[in-house]
């Protein structure tokens, strides 16, 4: 009986490993959200890595994360190197393409705790009440990535981060507009002080 159970366990493990191996060699995860903010405000926050601290879900994982910015302040060639705790690791991002108010493509290089090169894309579309933003991440799948995809873990984990980032991006993009509107209102109102 024990021998039959052992054989069944081995067959099950081989079956699971075979199933994982048949998963796609690449992944693509995306989330879309309509933001109540102008395309210019949204684009500016994505196109400048130093502004990511206002909205990126990855910026608060390690409050002591080291950040280095290289190249231009924004747009093609701007790069961002980060080094954090074991939850954030070490990596580098570089803007590869930047079309004003339309699209930003970024090369993501993960160095530690695992090595990988992926791509992130932000596609912006002006709509009647703001901006529709699609944030996607794609890249090659390792065996571990295939295992995570097979059981829906990668889609769920990364998807939740993208969703949170889009919500926070909307908040950050609306903040300057709110401040500007308040300043205009106070400038137009007569002072009550005598």
């Amino acid at each position: 009986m024990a021998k039959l159970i052992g054989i069944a366990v081995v067959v099950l493990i081989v079956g699971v490993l075979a199933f994982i191996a048949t998963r796609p060699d690449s992944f693509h995860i995306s989330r879309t959200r309509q933001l109540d903010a102008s395309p210019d405000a949204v684009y500016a926050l994505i196109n400048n890595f130093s502004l990511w601290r206002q909205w990126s879900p990855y910026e608060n994982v390690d409050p002591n994360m080291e950040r280095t910015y290289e190249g231009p302040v924004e747009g093609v060639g701007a790069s961002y190197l980060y080094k954090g705790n074991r939850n954030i690791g070490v990596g580098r991002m570089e803007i590869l393409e930047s079309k004003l108010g339309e699209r930003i493509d970024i090369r993501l290089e993960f160095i530690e705790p695992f090595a990988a090169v992926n791509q992130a894309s932000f596609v912006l579309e002006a709509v009647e009440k703001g901006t529709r933003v699609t944030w996607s991440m794609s890249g090659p799948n390792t065996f571990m990535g295939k295992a995570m995809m097979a059981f829906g873990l990668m889609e769920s984990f990364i998807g939740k981060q993208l969703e949170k980032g889009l919500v926070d991006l909307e908040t950050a993009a609306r903040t300057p507009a709110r401040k500007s509107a308040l300043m205009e209102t106070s400038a137009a109102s007569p002072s009550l002080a005598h």
Side-chain angles (χ1 to χ4, degrees), residues 65 122 175:
M65 184 168 67
F122 294 85
T175 300

Side-chain angles (χ1 to χ4, degrees), residues 21 74 89 103 109 152 162 164 174 193:
E74 59 186 27
R103 180 181 194 96
E109 180 181 1
L162 301 183
K164 180 181 184 334
R174 292 182 65 193

Side-chain angles (χ1 to χ4, degrees), residues 64-144:
N64 299 315
M65 184 168 67
E66 297 174 26
R67 300 166 178 86
T68 306
Y69 305 97
E70 296 179 346
V73 173
E74 59 186 27
V76 175
S79 65
Y80 170 40
L81 291 81
Y82 61 88
K83 182 176 182 181
N85 61 23
R86 63 185 181 93
N87 294 321
I88 196 70
V90 178
R92 181 178 187 276
M93 298 190 290
E94 180 180 352
I95 297 178
L96 302 177
E97 183 177 352
S98 179
K99 292 184 178 178
L100 181 62
E102 293 180 21
R103 180 181 194 96
I104 298 170
D105 292 326
I106 299 168
R107 180 181 189 268
L108 304 171
E109 180 181 1
F110 301 102
I111 300 166
E112 293 177 12
F114 58 89
V117 176
N118 296 329
Q119 180 164 326
S121 295
F122 294 85
V123 176
L124 286 64
E125 179 187 352
V127 293
E128 186 178 337
K129 294 185 178 181
T131 310
R132 181 177 295 117
V133 180
T134 299
W135 184 4
S136 63
M137 186 182 293
S138 58
N141 247 345
T142 62
F143 186 80
M144 183 59 76

Side-chain angles (χ1 to χ4, degrees), residues 10-115:
V10 169
V11 169
L12 180 63
I13 291 171
V14 169
V16 168
L17 293 176
F19 172 71
I20 291 170
T22 64
R23 300 298 86 205
D25 291 331
S26 62
F27 74 92
H28 180 86
I29 298 169
S30 69
R31 293 294 187 270
T32 301
R33 181 177 173 88
Q34 185 165 317
L35 279 56
D36 183 16
S38 73
D40 291 344
V42 173
Y43 174 83
L45 287 165
I46 302 168
N47 200 44
N48 182 332
F49 286 128
S50 67
L51 300 179
W52 281 44
R53 293 177 87 167
Q54 297 179 39
W55 63 271
S56 173
Y58 305 105
E59 288 291 328
N60 298 316
V61 173
D62 177 6
N64 299 315
M65 184 168 67
E66 297 174 26
R67 300 166 178 86
T68 306
Y69 305 97
E70 296 179 346
V73 173
E74 59 186 27
V76 175
S79 65
Y80 170 40
L81 291 81
Y82 61 88
K83 182 176 182 181
N85 61 23
R86 63 185 181 93
N87 294 321
I88 196 70
V90 178
R92 181 178 187 276
M93 298 190 290
E94 180 180 352
I95 297 178
L96 302 177
E97 183 177 352
S98 179
K99 292 184 178 178
L100 181 62
E102 293 180 21
R103 180 181 194 96
I104 298 170
D105 292 326
I106 299 168
R107 180 181 189 268
L108 304 171
E109 180 181 1
F110 301 102
I111 300 166
E112 293 177 12
F114 58 89

